[in-house]
Amino acid sequence: MAELKRVCVFCGSMVGARPEYAEAAVALGQAVARRGIGLVYGGGAVGLMGIAADAALGAGAEVIGVIPHGLLKREVGHGGGVAMHVVDTMHERKAKMAALADGFIVLPGGYGTLEEAVEALTWVQLGIQPKGVVFLDVAGFWQPFLKTLDFMLAEGFVRETQRPLAMCAATVEEALDLLAGFAPPAGTLPWLRPEQA
């Protein structure tokens, strides 16, 4: 079982086409504050990122942003109240976010959101990190992607034990509960440095 001190949210730098997406970002920010959990996110002040951060800050949560130099102006790095880490690369951004958080919630987003989420799933699969990944299925947004994972399973590219790593929740509270109860599948080997082997 994971002790949730901080949750990382992967989400869009745009607000998307439906009001439900922004509503979910607000709900997430408020829920982490209610539970006394910190929020780790991509550091921007725009899109669902900014909405989630503002909601968490407004409700009294710790908020940590991680943003590369190259996106600082483009995504308008968040100002007041956010503990900001400015890094050199996208790779460093993801590694820092993962190090700071105890689990991941994936809101709707585009290429970047999907890439971050899939890398986090891959890291669990390989034993690099033991932290859960939950897709918050706002207005059915993640259903096509989850069906693609089911197809990968059927075609022999995802193992039966690994498909459940991509967890799905209908509400923010359910997502947080899934993260708190997550444990890697039995038999997952930890990623060891040579001196640990």
Side-chain angles (χ1 to χ4, degrees):
M1 297 279 240
E3 181 185 357
L4 294 181
K5 295 179 183 175
R6 295 189 189 117
V7 169
C8 177
V9 60
F10 298 136
C11 58
S13 59
M14 296 185 283
V15 296
R18 298 174 186 262
E20 293 96 324
Y21 302 151
E23 290 164 8
V26 170
L28 176 59
Q30 293 173 342
V32 296
R34 275 195 308 274
R35 293 195 183 203
I37 301 169
L39 184 73
V40 177
Y41 84 115
V46 296
L48 297 186
M49 280 196 297
I51 291 169
D54 287 341
L57 285 170
E62 171 196 40
V63 178
I64 301 173
V66 185
I67 194 166
H69 291 287
L71 290 182
L72 193 55
K73 288 186 180 178
R74 195 181 316 173
E75 292 184 353
V76 191
H78 204 292
V82 173
M84 192 69 73
H85 296 263
V86 181
V87 296
D88 290 328
T89 69
M90 294 293 280
H91 295 294
E92 287 179 55
R93 180 195 218 181
K94 290 180 292 183
K96 185 70 171 177
M97 290 167 80
L100 289 168
D102 303 303
F104 307 89
I105 292 180
V106 191
L107 290 176
Y111 292 155
T113 300
L114 184 59
E115 186 266 342
E116 289 169 329
V118 171
E119 181 166 275
L121 285 171
T122 303
W123 288 1
V124 184
Q125 174 185 308
L126 295 175
I128 295 172
Q129 58 95 357
K131 303 168 186 179
V133 180
V134 179
F135 291 83
L136 187 57
D137 194 30
V138 183
F141 182 86
W142 289 113
Q143 285 306 305
F145 171 70
L146 296 171
K147 287 176 182 172
T148 297
L149 297 185
D150 291 337
F151 182 71
M152 291 175 177
L153 170 64
E155 293 299 308
F157 290 102
V158 173
R159 291 190 174 93
E160 290 274 358
T161 56
Q162 294 168 345
R163 171 59 186 87
L165 293 176
M167 297 180 285
C168 180
T171 67
V172 168
E173 296 297 339
E174 182 188 357
L176 291 169
D177 288 343
L178 284 170
L179 286 185
F182 177 76
T188 301
L189 298 174
W191 191 267
L192 300 177
R193 295 188 299 273
E195 67 270 17
Q196 295 174 305

